[in-house]
Amino acid sequence: MRKRYALVLAGLFVAATAGTAVAAEYDRYERGPRGEYPVEYAPPPPRRVVEAPPYRHPVRGQGYFFTHLGIFDPNNESDGLAGYDAGSTFDVGFGSRVAPMFAFEGTFGAYGADDGSKEARVVPLTLGARLIIPTPFIEPYLGAGMGLYFSSLDEPATTGFSGIDDTSSDFGGYLSAGLDMWLNQRVALNFEGKYHFVEPTFQINDGSDVDVNLGGWTVNFGVRIAF
């Protein structure tokens, strides 16, 4: 009887020992060769995000120089430049990009038109601002400004008209719209349309005064260079 109990106990001991060995081997297999438990469900890799192209326009606070050449289209008002042919225009100026959407600038330029022997010339000296839509390459904008307009008008005498040959200095202003096409961070091609508002008073040769509208559109193509 005791022999039977001894055999049963020996069998239980062998079974327990074998079970422990199997469990240890299974645990070692589950942990891996370095002893760490593998991650059963690894998170998916992050999605690749397409990076936006870098901006080419000047950074905040950066100054710039610009210049334009273009065509002056005179107004067709009876008290202005009706009958005058299209003329030419140019301007140069400096500005500063004080914010991504805003810039201040000062401009010096000239425009004029002729009608046979008649000549009208205007030299604006203005301060203005531009509201810009920032994009990486092509930036549309709207602008406005005001300043001194130095003008001259030469119209020979005709029947019933004694003629004008006078100069004047007056306050005027402009509205503009355009776009910059940035080639790199410092250089952009520029296209701009600008309407000038100025109505100087000239003295007719008989001594009376007359107000003449010397405003009109200038259509310009030029370059903007940041520094």
Side-chain angles (χ1 to χ4, degrees), residues 58-59 61-66 93-96 185-186 224-227:
V59 297
Q62 190 170 4
Y64 57 85
F65 163 82
F66 62 90
F94 293 90
S96 177
Q185 260 197 327
R186 294 193 177 275
R224 197 181 307 277
I225 302 174
F227 54 84

Side-chain angles (χ1 to χ4, degrees), residues 35-201:
E36 74 277 10
Y37 286 102
V39 179
E40 194 168 340
Y41 297 101
R47 294 183 178 180
R48 295 186 61 185
V49 178
V50 178
E51 295 183 359
Y55 280 76
R56 292 185 176 180
H57 61 71
V59 297
R60 179 177 177 179
Q62 190 170 4
Y64 57 85
F65 163 82
F66 62 90
T67 184
H68 296 109
L69 290 174
I71 298 172
F72 171 57
D73 183 24
N75 68 78
N76 199 32
E77 302 295 329
S78 58
D79 62 344
L81 298 175
Y84 277 71
D85 298 324
S88 59
T89 179
F90 83 92
D91 65 34
V92 295
F94 293 90
S96 177
R97 188 84 170 246
V98 297
M101 298 181 62
F102 203 69
F104 285 110
E105 55 193 31
T107 308
F108 167 81
Y111 64 84
D114 302 316
D115 178 15
S117 58
K118 300 177 181 179
E119 294 181 354
R121 300 288 183 266
V122 182
V123 177
L125 182 60
T126 58
L127 293 174
R130 294 187 300 126
L131 180 64
I132 307 164
I133 301 175
T135 66
F137 307 116
I138 298 179
E139 292 187 311
Y141 63 85
L142 297 174
M146 61 185 303
L148 282 174
Y149 281 65
F150 304 94
S151 53
S152 65
L153 184 63
D154 184 4
E155 293 189 350
T158 58
T159 302
F161 176 63
S162 61
I164 300 175
D165 186 7
D166 195 15
T167 61
S168 182
S169 301
D170 305 271
F171 282 104
Y174 69 84
L175 296 174
S176 65
L179 57 86
D180 289 320
M181 295 170 285
W182 289 97
L183 306 179
N184 52 55
Q185 260 197 327
R186 294 193 177 275
V187 180
L189 299 179
N190 177 258
F191 177 79
E192 181 180 84
K194 180 183 289 186
Y195 194 90
H196 294 273
F197 302 89
V198 61
E199 191 168 336
T201 300

